[in-house]
């Protein structure tokens, strides 16, 4: 088993609270980089082979199990092999979409997404984006990736300002990530999605855990810490990588990538109380 690199006192308390009352706990997870390894082509991403089985074993033991991802919810379900997990909720597009029990609820994309989609090729050409730069169209958002470029971080910095300007003109916001800049609608992030999910339960959870790997997951960390301030035990889990260190600096528990997250899930399954 992959052991956590570190566990804070608050994290240990949160894990104890989950084990003592798993039926009252809310466990949340990012998808890419947390349950699924990061790959060059987002379309080829698939969950770690142990992720879906571990989630399926955990689902009947805990109060609520939720995945909050920037991907479309249906894509995360497909790529994760999650369709048959009873009780699992997937919030896609940072919470704009909800998948539950095979039913997908999604809003119409705001007009700014279509405008940005039309202008993006010209903007990238004007910025001198390397030819290896590619756009992932998520329907509700547009993600510009530089992972395939010879100097991906240099290419990302070259695009940061001009994409911010495009976002401002089209009423969108820029969400930075691991060698990606995403243009998406404002008004929802993973923290707001997690907090709304918890609040909608109607009862105070016994504990809340969130596991993530990228900058977009910091908002969910903020939500867990806000719940802690209200007396709800919480656990911040970082799926560690060399590309992003900001989450590791905030986390209670740091594990080695998706394999470490799966190991942590297995511990909760094997020792729920």
């Amino acid at each position: 088993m992959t052991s956590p690199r570190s566990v804070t006192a608050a994290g240990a308390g949160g894990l104890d609270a989950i084990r003592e009352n798993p039926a009252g706990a809310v466990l949340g997870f990012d998808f890419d980089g947390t349950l699924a390894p990061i790959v060059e082509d987002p379309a080829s991403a698939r969950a770690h082979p142990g992720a879906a089985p571990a989630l399926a074993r955990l689902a009947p033991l805990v109060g609520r199990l939720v995945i909050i991802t920037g991907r479309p919810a249906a894509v995360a379900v497909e790529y994760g092999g999650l369709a048959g997990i009873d009780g699992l909720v997937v919030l896609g597009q940072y919470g704009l979409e909800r998948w539950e029990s095979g039913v997908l609820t999604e809003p119409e994309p705001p007009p700014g997404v279509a405008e940005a989609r039309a202008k993006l090729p010209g903007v990238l050409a004007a910025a001198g984006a390397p030819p290896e730069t590619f756009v992932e169209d998520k329907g509700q958002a547009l993600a510009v990736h530089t992972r395939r470029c010879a100097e991906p971080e240099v290419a990302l910095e070259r695009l940061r300002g001009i994409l911010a300007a495009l976002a401002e003109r089209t009423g969108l916001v820029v969400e930075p990530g691991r060698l990606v800049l995403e243009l998406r609608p404002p008004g929802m992030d993973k923290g707001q999605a997690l907090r709304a999910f918890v609040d909608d339960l109607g009862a105070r959870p016994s504990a809340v855990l969130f596991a993530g790997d990228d900058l977009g997951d910091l908002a969910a960390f903020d939500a867990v810490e806000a719940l802690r301030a209200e007396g709800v035990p919480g656990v911040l889990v970082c799926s560690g990588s060399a590309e992003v260190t900001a989450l590791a600096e905030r986390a209670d528990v740091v594990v080695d990538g998706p394999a470490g997250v799966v190991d942590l899930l297995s511990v909760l399954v094997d020792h729920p109380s």
Side-chain angles (χ1 to χ4, degrees):
M1 171 182 161
T2 303
S3 299
R5 299 179 199 167
S6 61
V7 182
T8 66
L15 290 171
D16 286 344
I18 293 171
R19 294 188 181 105
E20 289 168 7
N21 183 10
V26 174
L27 275 57
F29 303 88
D30 168 50
F31 185 75
D32 290 282
T34 301
L35 297 176
I38 295 292
V39 293
E40 286 194 2
D41 181 3
S44 67
R46 295 296 183 271
H48 184 284
L55 289 169
R57 293 195 302 273
L58 194 58
L61 303 176
V62 301
R64 298 295 279 172
L65 199 58
V66 61
I67 292 172
I68 307 176
T69 174
R71 282 189 184 270
V75 172
V77 171
E78 177 187 353
Y79 290 4
L82 308 174
I85 301 178
D86 291 336
L88 175 68
V89 175
V90 179
L91 302 179
Q93 307 271 10
Y94 297 90
L96 292 175
E97 300 177 345
R98 183 183 180 110
W99 179 95
E100 185 173 8
S101 301
V103 178
L104 177 66
T105 304
E106 58 181 333
E108 287 294 324
V113 174
E115 183 182 355
R117 181 181 292 114
K119 291 180 177 178
L120 194 52
V123 166
L124 294 176
E132 297 84 4
T133 305
F134 69 99
V135 177
E136 178 189 4
D137 193 330
K138 299 182 177 182
Q140 297 274 353
L142 304 161
V144 180
H145 296 263
T146 62
R147 181 170 297 276
R148 298 174 185 168
C149 300
E151 296 181 299
E153 293 181 359
V154 173
L156 196 72
E157 286 304 315
R158 180 185 301 171
L159 297 175
R160 197 177 297 274
I162 196 165
L163 290 180
L166 176 61
E168 185 175 0
R169 291 198 303 271
T170 54
L172 304 177
V173 295
V174 176
E175 182 75 43
R178 293 169 67 171
L179 301 178
V180 61
L181 295 168
E182 183 169 317
L183 282 71
R184 64 178 183 84
M188 182 62 78
D189 59 34
K190 291 184 181 181
Q192 292 172 304
L194 179 60
R195 185 61 197 242
F197 184 81
V198 170
D199 290 345
D200 285 347
L201 298 177
R204 173 174 156 138
S206 62
V208 177
L209 176 150
F210 189 82
D213 77 305
D214 207 348
L215 298 175
D217 299 311
L218 287 171
F221 275 24
D222 290 341
V224 173
E225 290 187 335
L227 287 163
R228 274 179 175 167
E230 298 169 18
V232 177
V235 188
L236 308 175
V237 179
C238 173
S239 173
S241 75
E243 291 182 346
V244 175
T245 60
L247 268 76
E249 295 165 0
R250 292 268 307 273
D252 301 308
V253 182
V254 182
V255 298
D256 289 325
V261 173
V262 170
D263 283 343
L264 182 61
L265 285 170
S266 299
V267 169
L268 293 173
V269 169
D270 295 337
H271 306 285
S273 61

